[in-house]
Amino acid sequence: MDSCPKLTIIWIHTRPSFKLVASADCAGALDVTDDLQQLLNGDELTGLHCFRHLRDNVAAAIDSINSILSAEFMQASIHVARDKDLLLLSKAKTRDSMYMNGKDEEVKLDDEETSNFRDRLLPLIVGLLRTAKLPSVLRIYRDTLTASMKTTIKNAVAELLPAFSAQSLESERTSAERTADTDGGGLSLASKLRSLSSENFVLLLSAIFNIVQAHLVQAAEVKKAIEWIMCNVDGHYAADSVAAAISVGAATAETAYESGSQGSSLLPFSPQRSTSKLTSSQLKSNDAASPSNISRNFRADVLRENTEAVFAACDAAHGRWAKLLGVRAVLHPKLRLVEFLSIYNITQEFITATEKIGGRLGYSIRGTMQSQAKGFVDFQHEMRMTKIKAVLDQETWVEVDVPDEFQAIVASLFYSEPLISEALNDTQVEMTTSYGEVGTSNDGSFVIDNEAQNAAQKLVRMNSTEVSLQNSVQKKSTPSTEPTESNKVMTATSSAQHNNHKVKERGKSTSQTLSCGGVGYHMVNCGLILLKMLSEYMDMNNYLPTLSSEVVHRVVEILKFFNTRTCQLILGAGAMQVSGLKSITSKHLALASQVISFVYAIIPEIRRVLFLKVPEARKALLLSEIDRVAQDYKVHQEEILTKLVQIMRERVLYHLRKLPPVVESWNRPVDTDSQPSLIAKEIVKEVNYLQRILSRTLHEADIQAIFRQVVIDLHKETSEAFSRFEISSPQAKGRLHRDITLILGCIRSLPSGSSSESGTLNWGQLDEFFLQRFGSEAG
C-alpha cells in the first residue's frame, strides 16, 4: 500500500509527458522523462508488472524529443537560408548590377537578427545537450548542410543557364548540335556551360557566389550561436540551464560510452546521480575523468563537430565551383587575358570569402585555379611562339612607322604600370592583338598576309573589335636610297603621302622611331610585334603573380627564339628562302641591328618588372637565365656590325681584283683622261652609299665603330693592291695620284671618330704609301 502514492505520481507524470511530446514542448517533456528515469533507476517499481514497458516508453519519448529538436534545429539552421535562394536567383536573372558584384550585403545579419536567431536556437541546443545528442545531430547537420550546398548550386546552375545562354547558344552551336536538338536530343549541362561566353560565365559565377555566401553566412551564424551558448552564455538568464545541460549531457555520453550502448537511445541522468556514479567508478583511478574534465571533453566534442560543419560546407562549395571551372577547362586557356582574369579574380574573391568564413584553406580549388592559370600561360605562350615564328619567316625587313601605343608600352616599362589596368575596369576595351603580318601594296594601301592571319586564327578565336597591328603599323614608303629612275622616286613619294593620309584618317599618331631611354630605334614589323607580346607577358606576370616564375621562363624562351631566328634569317641569309628576299642588303642588316639593339636595351627593364613578383628563392636562377639571353643579344648585335664591315671589305676587294688591266692601261703614252679610274670611283661610291644607309638607321656610336674598321680595311687593302704594281711612267703616276687622292678624300669624310697625332682624320696605311710614292707632292 506504500507504493500507491508513487504509482499515482508515475501515472500523473507519464500521461502528460507524452502529451508534451505531442505538443512539441520538448523542455517540459524532458523534465518529465528525467523524473521518470530517476524512478526507474530506483527500486520502487521492481516487480510491478504493470510498469514493465515504462522504460521503453520513456526511451521512445526521448527519441521523439530528439527527432523534434533535430528537425527544428535543421529548419532553423539550413532551411531558412533556402528562402533567400529564390530572391537571389531572381536578382541574378535580372542582372542586378548592385547584386552581381559577388558581395550581397543582404546575407549578413544585424545585431537584432543575430540576437533573435540565438534565442531561437538556445532551447533547441539546451534540449539536445541534455540528451547528449548534440554532437550526433551536428554530424547530421554537417552532412545535410553539405548536401544542401551541392544541391543548391546544382539547382542554381540549372535555373540560371537558360537565362545566360539564350543568345550564345544559338550563335555558337554547330550544325551537328542543331541536328541533335532536332532529333529530340539537346545540349547537356556541360555543353551549355561551355557554350556560355566568358562574360555570361562570370555572371553565373557571381550568382553562385552570392547564393553560396548566403548559405555559408547562415552556417557561420549557427556556428557562432552554438559557440556562444557553449562558451559565452555567462550572465544570460539561461546560463544555469546551459551549464546543467552540458553536465547532464556529458555524464550521459560518458555513461553510454562505458556501457557500450553509444548507438542506443540515451536517457538523461540527473547531475547528482551521474556525479556520484562517476566518482565511485572512475575517479578512484583517473583524475582525467572528473566531472569537470568530462564536461570539458563533451564541450570540445560539440565545438569540434560545430566547426567541422562549416568546414564541410566550404569544401562542398569549393568542389562545385572547381567542377564548374573544370567543365570549361578546354576553353579558358584560349581566352583573352582580360576575360581570363575576370574568371580568375572572381574565383580568388570566392576563395578568400569562403576561407574567411570556414577558417580553412581551400587547397583543392586553389589547385584547380592554379592549374587553369598555368594552362592559360602555357597556351598563350605556345600561341605566341607559333605566331612570332610565322611573323619572322614572313618579315621583309622594311622599316615601319611606330604607332603611339608602342611608345606607351615602352614608357610603361620604366614606370612598372600594367598596360591593361584600365581595360580591366572597362570591359569595352579589347586587349588582344591579332599578330598579322602587314604588307604594302603597289598603290600604298595595306594588305594582310593571309597565311600569317590564318596561323593565328587556328590557335585562338579573334574578336572583330580587337586592336590589331594590321590597322596600326604602316610601312614607311620613303624615297629609295639607291640610284633609281625619277618615276620610282615619284611613286615612292606618292605612296608615302597616301600612307600619311590613311594615318590621319584613322586618327592614329605615329613616329619614325621608337624611343627608349632617350635613344630612338628604327623598327620593323616583327620588332613591334615582339614588343607587344612582351607587354602581354608582363601583364600576365602582374595579374597572375603565383605564376611569375613560369612567365619569366616563357619570356626567356621567346627572347631566345627571336634572337636565334633573326640571326638565321639575316646573318644566315635564311630570309632569302622564306621571305623571298633577293639578297641581304646593308639596309636589312642595319634594321636588324636596330631591332636587336632595342630588345637588348629593354631587357633590363623587362627583368626588373618581371622580378617584382618572382619569389626570392627563384630569383638567382632566373636572373642568370635572362642575363645569358641579354649577353646573346649583345653578341648578335656585334656580329651584325662585323658583318657590315665584312660586306664593305668584300666589295672593296671585288673592285680591286679588276685593278691589273686598268693599271696596264695607265702606261699608255697619251693621257687623255683626267678623271680617277672607274675602280676608284666605284669604291668611293660603295663606301659613300654604305655611310648614307647606316647614318639614316644606326646610332652614332655604331656608325663610328663600323667605319673605324672600314677605314682600316680601306687603308690596308688599297695600299696593298697599289703596291703590287710597278708604276714608273709619268702618266701612270698621275693616274695613281688621282685614284689615291679620291680614295683618301672619301676616307677623310668617314665618321670613324679617330685621327692621327698630327690631327689628320683617319690617317692610315694608304697615307703612308702615298707619301712614299709621291713625297712632297702628296700634299
Side-chain angles (χ1 to χ4, degrees):
M1 296 297 294
D2 294 337
S3 62
C4 288
K6 293 183 178 180
L7 295 178
T8 302
I9 293 173
I10 294 171
W11 177 252
I12 292 172
H13 278 73
T14 303
R15 293 293 299 273
S17 69
F18 297 112
K19 290 182 178 180
L20 290 171
V21 171
S23 64
D25 184 1
C26 295
L30 283 175
D31 290 338
V32 173
T33 56
D34 185 57
D35 292 340
L36 291 172
Q37 185 61 42
Q38 290 186 36
L39 288 172
L40 289 170
N41 288 334
D43 299 330
E44 293 85 349
L45 303 182
T46 302
L48 295 177
H49 186 71
C50 61
F51 292 105
R52 66 186 183 277
H53 299 302
L54 181 59
R55 187 178 298 275
D56 293 337
N57 291 336
V58 172
I62 293 176
D63 285 341
S64 298
I65 293 169
N66 285 328
S67 297
I68 293 171
L69 292 173
S70 177
E72 290 188 5
F73 176 78
M74 295 298 175
Q75 175 66 30
S77 302
I78 296 178
H79 302 298
V80 172
R82 294 177 180 172
D83 297 338
K84 296 182 180 180
D85 291 349
L86 293 177
L87 175 62
L88 295 175
L89 288 172
S90 176
K91 287 185 177 182
K93 289 179 180 179
T94 58
R95 304 191 182 189
D96 190 326
S97 60
M98 295 295 293
Y99 157 81
M100 297 305 291
N101 61 4
K103 300 176 182 178
D104 192 355
E105 297 298 330
E106 293 184 10
V107 300
K108 298 181 180 179
L109 301 181
D110 57 30
D111 292 340
E112 182 178 356
E113 289 174 330
T114 300
S115 178
N116 293 336
F117 183 68
R118 288 177 177 177
D119 290 341
R120 181 179 179 185
L121 287 185
L122 180 59
L124 306 178
I125 300 300
V126 170
L128 291 170
L129 284 172
R130 290 178 63 180
T131 61
K133 279 293 186 178
L134 184 56
S136 61
V137 169
L138 287 176
R139 284 189 286 272
I140 297 172
Y141 166 65
R142 177 192 62 198
D143 296 339
T144 306
L145 181 62
T146 301
S148 175
M149 181 68 73
K150 293 178 179 179
T151 302
T152 298
I153 294 175
K154 181 178 179 181
N155 292 340
V157 172
E159 183 79 14
L160 294 173
L161 260 182
F164 289 153
S165 62
Q167 296 180 352
S168 55
L169 271 176
E170 195 61 33
S171 61
E172 297 183 12
R173 286 162 64 189
T174 63
S175 59
E177 289 171 335
R178 291 195 183 96
T179 303
D181 287 348
T182 304
D183 295 339
L187 293 176
S188 65
L189 187 65
S191 298
K192 290 179 180 178
L193 281 170
R194 285 191 287 267
S195 71
L196 288 177
S197 65
S198 60
E199 180 184 0
N200 284 337
F201 183 63
V202 170
L203 291 176
L204 177 64
L205 292 180
S206 297
I208 293 172
F209 188 163
N210 281 308
I211 292 171
V212 168
Q213 193 174 33
H215 283 254
L216 288 181
V217 167
Q218 179 72 16
E221 290 297 330
V222 174
K223 176 175 175 285
K224 292 176 184 177
I226 294 176
E227 289 174 346
W228 172 77
I229 293 170
M230 298 297 295
C231 304
N232 301 311
V233 77
D234 295 344
H236 193 271
Y237 70 88
D240 293 339
S241 299
V242 172
I246 293 174
S247 178
V248 171
T252 303
E254 184 70 14
T255 303
Y257 178 77
E258 286 180 355
S259 63
S261 59
Q262 189 175 13
S264 64
S265 298
L266 297 175
L267 303 183
F269 291 78
S270 66
Q272 295 82 3
R273 179 184 57 79
S274 300
T275 302
S276 62
K277 289 188 67 176
L278 289 170
T279 303
S280 62
S281 62
Q282 294 181 347
L283 296 184
K284 293 178 181 179
S285 60
N286 189 359
D287 291 339
S290 65
S292 61
N293 285 335
I294 292 173
S295 296
R296 196 158 42 244
N297 293 337
F298 181 66
R299 180 184 283 107
D301 187 30
V302 170
L303 294 176
R304 181 177 61 255
E305 295 296 343
N306 182 38
T307 302
E308 283 296 327
V310 182
F311 288 165
C314 288
D315 288 342
H318 289 169
R320 288 293 172 172
W321 190 285
K323 191 172 182 179
L324 290 173
L325 295 178
V327 169
R328 292 172 53 91
V330 296
L331 302 177
H332 291 167
K334 302 176 184 179
L335 297 176
R336 301 190 307 271
L337 179 57
V338 172
E339 293 174 331
F340 181 79
L341 284 177
S342 63
I343 297 172
Y344 180 86
N345 288 338
I346 194 173
T347 300
Q348 292 299 324
E349 292 174 10
F350 176 78
I351 293 172
T352 301
T354 52
E355 286 180 346
K356 183 178 179 181
I357 295 173
R360 178 185 293 175
L361 291 178
Y363 293 106
S364 175
I365 190 172
R366 285 182 178 274
T368 299
M369 196 66 251
Q370 184 75 354
S371 175
Q372 291 208 3
K374 186 177 184 301
F376 174 80
V377 171
D378 289 342
F379 180 87
Q380 296 296 318
H381 175 65
E382 178 185 348
M383 180 189 73
R384 283 162 177 79
M385 287 293 291
T386 301
K387 189 57 212 170
I388 198 66
K389 182 181 184 301
V391 169
L392 280 168
D393 287 348
Q394 296 171 34
E395 179 61 69
T396 56
W397 301 96
V398 176
E399 186 177 355
V400 296
D401 284 328
V402 180
D404 285 349
E405 68 168 292
F406 295 94
Q407 190 61 64
I409 292 174
V410 176
S412 71
L413 291 177
F414 292 89
Y415 293 98
S416 304
E417 294 178 355
L419 296 177
I420 63 172
S421 57
E422 294 182 2
L424 289 176
N425 297 324
D426 183 4
T427 56
Q428 300 299 320
V429 178
E430 306 287 351
M431 290 306 302
T432 302
T433 301
S434 175
Y435 304 109
E437 181 79 15
V438 181
T440 306
S441 62
N442 292 333
D443 62 354
S445 61
F446 301 102
V447 296
I448 301 172
D449 185 270
N450 292 327
E451 182 179 350
Q453 187 184 36
N454 292 337
Q457 290 176 343
K458 290 178 182 178
L459 290 169
V460 62
R461 190 187 70 225
M462 298 299 182
N463 189 292
S464 61
T465 61
E466 291 169 350
V467 178
S468 174
L469 284 178
Q470 298 162 358
N471 295 326
S472 63
V473 180
Q474 293 84 31
K475 288 289 183 68
K476 295 179 69 174
S477 300
T478 55
S480 175
T481 53
E482 300 188 35
T484 57
E485 294 82 10
S486 58
N487 62 337
K488 291 184 179 180
V489 175
M490 293 176 64
T491 301
T493 303
S494 174
S495 177
Q497 293 172 348
H498 183 74
N499 284 348
N500 290 335
H501 179 65
K502 293 179 78 68
V503 169
K504 291 179 181 179
E505 284 181 349
R506 295 173 181 174
K508 290 183 177 290
S509 177
T510 63
S511 58
Q512 292 185 338
T513 59
L514 186 59
S515 180
C516 177
V519 179
Y521 295 86
H522 296 267
M523 299 300 292
V524 297
N525 187 62
C526 65
L528 293 180
I529 291 177
L530 176 66
L531 175 61
K532 181 67 175 178
M533 289 181 176
L534 291 173
S535 74
E536 291 165 346
Y537 279 109
M538 287 184 287
D539 285 335
M540 284 188 276
N541 181 77
N542 185 69
Y543 290 104
L544 302 173
T546 57
L547 292 172
S548 183
S549 298
E550 297 289 338
V551 173
V552 172
H553 277 301
R554 304 307 187 274
V555 170
V556 168
E557 185 177 351
I558 199 169
L559 286 174
K560 281 182 178 179
F561 177 80
F562 185 86
N563 187 50
T564 301
R565 189 57 181 160
T566 301
C567 182
Q568 294 170 349
L569 292 172
I570 299 301
L571 290 178
M576 294 175 63
Q577 285 74 44
V578 297
S579 301
L581 298 181
K582 294 181 179 179
S583 63
I584 305 299
T585 66
S586 57
K587 180 67 172 178
H588 296 147
L589 286 165
L591 287 171
S593 173
Q594 283 279 278
V595 173
I596 296 299
S597 297
F598 168 75
V599 177
Y600 176 73
I602 65 173
I603 283 178
E605 293 303 320
I606 291 175
R607 180 182 63 182
R608 181 183 62 81
V609 174
L610 291 178
F611 276 73
L612 292 174
K613 304 292 183 178
V614 174
E616 288 295 331
R618 302 292 305 277
K619 281 186 177 180
L621 177 62
L622 296 175
L623 276 172
S624 63
E625 288 188 20
I626 202 166
D627 287 344
R628 279 196 295 270
V629 172
Q631 183 61 28
D632 290 342
Y633 272 82
K634 182 179 180 181
V635 171
H636 187 185
Q637 200 265 348
E638 292 172 350
E639 289 175 349
I640 293 176
L641 300 185
T642 301
K643 183 67 175 180
L644 286 166
V645 174
Q646 179 185 345
I647 289 175
M648 194 68 258
R649 182 188 303 115
E650 290 175 354
R651 296 304 300 166
V652 170
L653 290 174
Y654 168 77
H655 292 296
L656 290 176
R657 282 194 289 270
K658 297 187 291 185
L659 194 58
V662 173
V663 173
E664 289 181 8
S665 67
W666 288 354
N667 292 319
R668 294 173 184 171
V670 180
D671 183 9
T672 59
D673 188 2
S674 61
Q675 297 295 320
S677 68
L678 183 61
I679 291 176
K681 290 180 180 179
E682 288 295 328
I683 290 174
V684 170
K685 178 182 176 181
E686 296 262 16
V687 172
N688 287 336
Y689 173 71
L690 179 65
Q691 178 187 359
R692 189 165 61 252
I693 290 295
L694 300 186
S695 63
R696 294 175 178 176
T697 306
L698 296 182
H699 301 144
E700 186 64 27
D702 294 335
I703 294 172
Q704 290 185 0
I706 291 171
F707 283 103
R708 193 175 299 120
Q709 188 60 46
V710 168
V711 166
I712 294 173
D713 291 342
L714 275 173
H715 277 295
K716 179 178 178 294
E717 301 300 339
T718 54
S719 60
E720 289 180 357
F722 287 134
S723 63
R724 296 190 190 101
F725 301 103
E726 185 66 31
I727 299 175
S728 55
S729 65
Q731 297 89 347
K733 286 184 178 182
R735 293 187 175 229
L736 178 61
H737 188 282
R738 288 195 292 269
D739 280 9
I740 293 178
T741 300
L742 178 63
I743 293 173
L744 283 176
C746 173
I747 290 175
R748 296 282 185 267
S749 66
L750 296 180
S752 68
S754 61
S755 60
S756 66
E757 295 180 359
S758 63
T760 304
L761 292 175
N762 301 329
W763 178 273
Q765 195 171 337
L766 185 58
D767 288 291
E768 296 173 356
F769 173 79
F770 197 31
L771 284 175
Q772 181 184 353
R773 284 297 183 97
F774 297 100
S776 60
E777 296 180 10

